[in-house]
Amino acid sequence: MTYLPQLKIPATYMRGGTSKGVFFKLTDLPLPCQVAGPQRDALLLRVIGSPDPYAKQTDGMGGATSSTSKTVILSKSSQVNHDVDYLFGQVAIDKPFVDWSGNCGNLTAAVGAFAISSGLISADKLVTDGIAVVRIWQKNIGKTIVAHVPMCNGEVQETGDFMLDGVTFPAAEVPIEFLNPADGEGALFPTGKVIEKLKVPVELIPTGELTATMISAGIPTVFLNAEELGLCGNELQEQVNNDEALLEKLEAIRAYAALKMGLIDKLAQAKERQHTPKLAFVAPASDYESASGVLIKQSQIDLQVRAMSMGKLHHAMMGTAAVAIASAASVLGTVVNIAASHTHKDTDIEHNSSSASKTINFGHPSGTLKVSATASCAAKVNEQAKLQWQIDKVMMSRSARVLMEGWVRVPDIF
């Protein structure tokens, strides 16, 4: 009997923010995998070790969580005034499925560093000592991201004293700007309202409705009030992820939000769109103990946010969800804005001011995160017209580090 040989594919295993993933240069992939399609998906599934009915990804590079089951493909940018094209694939753990519908904000922090180290950035764009500005085209969502990558002695600086809650060790700070992060094909608020009632079956919620803000900035996200879900808003992973009934309920609610946002045509399609939209629940600030045992004081934060990722509560916060949080907080009257300010406003997109900027510090299971957003809106055509808000920019700081580099090996099915 003959057996397949193993391919050696150049790859780098990196941490970006609170996520980990396998990074590739597009040109290093086998030729059939350099274009989108089933063969590329099959390769990435095998690299990560999915689908795995044991949900451990033992025979691959995945870490058996949504935060560590990720892949990135980079190439020189095809876009004017950009340095690198960034394509993100979220690999399902127990299903043969790669979700290309959104971005990973955390791994974005590692994109600039990988691009520089891999020779994808022109030498004239780099500095010997200081900050290299890398303009990234995020191909999944068609958006511009700017990474400010520290450099020392002509190389990417990875070590430093910047601490990021959810990451054990310090590293160099990487500020990231998400420019105009709202959905380029639709409104910032897909339903036209900053807050509304999401109809769901009474089997899920006895009242048959939930107060919701549905926003498309960074990543499509539905924000709900923790109290209406029977939660406190300061839950840790075990409290949510060990409750199968709660997980099923939240996933069902997410499907109804996806339908309302126009992301799917039928509820059943939500199973094939696990990465988006995200579901998050919020609550006013309160004291709580983080996953590492650190006491977070009510006075340290503006509100509590917990977010679901691929059907489980995230151990910290997805970078793209943080963009959505900051965006929603900057617009008066959203579920997020109300939780942070304790003021109730009109439910439609109607504001007197033409711009707003807000920096918030929110609590998540691993600690806190500070993020800022600048929002603006078009002037009213007449008194009956509603203001159309847009998010100009969201900023936050993450960190990134190479964990291993060399080759990944997979059976040669190509």
Side-chain angles (χ1 to χ4, degrees):
M1 181 180 290
T2 58
Y3 297 92
L4 292 173
Q6 286 225 94
L7 286 177
K8 289 175 60 177
I9 304 173
T12 301
Y13 196 45
M14 295 192 73
R15 177 187 65 77
T18 56
S19 293
K20 293 192 294 188
V22 183
F23 282 62
F24 300 95
K25 287 174 63 175
L26 177 65
T27 52
D28 286 335
L29 297 177
L31 280 174
C33 303
Q34 292 184 21
V35 294
Q39 289 181 293
R40 175 186 284 178
D41 287 4
L43 171 67
L44 299 182
L45 284 161
R46 196 67 179 89
V47 166
I48 295 298
S50 294
D52 184 355
Y54 306 106
K56 302 298 182 185
Q57 294 178 325
T58 305
D59 200 24
M61 298 295 294
T65 69
S66 66
S67 302
T68 56
S69 188
K70 299 173 181 283
T71 57
V72 171
I73 301 172
L74 297 186
S75 58
K76 281 186 173 293
S77 185
S78 58
Q79 302 293 314
V80 176
N81 198 29
H82 289 77
D83 300 307
V84 63
D85 287 350
Y86 158 38
L87 186 64
F88 167 68
Q90 177 73 55
V91 180
I93 296 171
D94 59 348
K95 300 179 179 65
F97 178 63
V98 182
D99 196 327
W100 301 98
S101 66
N103 177 32
C104 175
N106 274 299
L107 287 187
T108 299
V111 168
F114 179 81
I116 292 171
S117 300
S118 301
L120 293 172
I121 307 298
S122 302
D124 60 355
K125 295 283 188 75
L126 305 179
V127 297
T128 302
D129 295 286
I131 303 297
V133 179
V134 179
R135 290 184 64 85
I136 301 163
W137 180 250
Q138 215 302 319
K139 291 189 68 174
N140 301 73
I141 58 175
K143 291 295 178 179
T144 299
I145 303 172
V146 181
H148 299 262
V149 183
M151 297 190 68
C152 184
N153 297 324
E155 296 185 348
V156 173
Q157 177 192 336
E158 296 182 302
T159 58
D161 57 7
F162 175 73
M163 291 297 302
L164 178 65
D165 285 345
V167 178
T168 305
F169 303 107
E173 181 177 4
V174 182
I176 305 171
E177 299 175 84
F178 297 83
L179 306 184
N180 187 24
D183 186 350
E185 298 182 357
L188 175 62
F189 300 98
T191 66
K193 296 183 177 181
V194 301
I195 192 170
E196 62 189 288
K197 294 298 183 180
L198 174 65
K199 302 294 184 181
V200 297
V202 293
E203 292 80 9
L204 296 175
I205 300 294
T207 60
E209 60 182 22
L210 289 161
T211 308
T213 288
M214 288 167 276
I215 190 170
S216 186
I219 200 164
T221 306
V222 53
F223 290 103
L224 306 171
N225 287 316
E227 185 179 13
E228 293 183 26
L229 294 168
L231 301 170
C232 296
N234 58 11
E235 285 80 5
L236 301 184
Q237 272 195 304
E238 293 76 13
Q239 294 168 271
V240 175
N241 292 344
N242 291 339
D243 188 336
E244 288 297 329
L246 175 59
L247 293 177
E248 290 180 9
K249 179 170 77 170
L250 294 176
E251 179 58 21
I253 293 170
R254 190 188 74 88
Y256 280 93
L259 190 64
K260 182 73 173 178
M261 295 174 78
L263 297 175
I264 57 175
D265 299 318
K266 300 177 181 178
L267 283 175
Q269 293 173 339
K271 295 179 180 179
E272 300 303 318
R273 194 180 175 116
Q274 294 180 315
H275 186 50
T276 57
K278 298 300 186 190
L279 181 148
F281 50 93
V282 306
S286 65
D287 293 351
Y288 74 101
E289 189 175 283
S290 74
S292 62
V294 174
L295 177 63
I296 307 298
K297 291 281 199 177
Q298 179 181 3
S299 58
Q300 294 177 251
I301 55 177
D302 298 298
L303 77 160
Q304 301 265 15
V305 190
R306 301 295 187 265
M308 306 299 293
S309 178
M310 303 294 283
K312 300 285 187 179
L313 182 66
H314 195 278
H315 77 284
M317 184 56 61
M318 305 81 80
T320 49
V323 172
I325 293 165
S327 299
S330 68
V331 176
L332 201 64
T334 66
V335 166
V336 179
N337 178 269
I338 291 170
S341 63
H342 303 289
T343 59
H344 293 261
K345 299 295 179 182
D346 293 339
T347 59
D348 288 334
I349 305 174
E350 296 177 342
H351 302 282
N352 294 322
S353 61
S354 61
S355 64
S357 182
K358 192 171 187 68
T359 297
I360 60 167
N361 197 26
F362 63 85
H364 57 72
S366 292
T368 68
L369 178 63
K370 182 180 289 186
V371 61
S372 63
T374 302
S376 63
C377 61
K380 288 184 178 180
V381 177
N382 53 56
E383 286 304 312
Q384 285 72 43
K386 295 176 182 178
L387 296 175
Q388 297 299 311
W389 282 83
Q390 69 176 32
I391 304 302
D392 302 316
K393 180 170 65 175
V394 172
M395 293 191 67
M396 72 181 80
S397 286
R398 316 302 272 169
S399 63
R401 189 171 74 86
V402 172
L403 303 178
M404 183 179 289
E405 53 192 347
W407 301 269
V408 291
R409 294 188 180 232
V410 293
D412 185 2
I413 60 174
F414 308 98

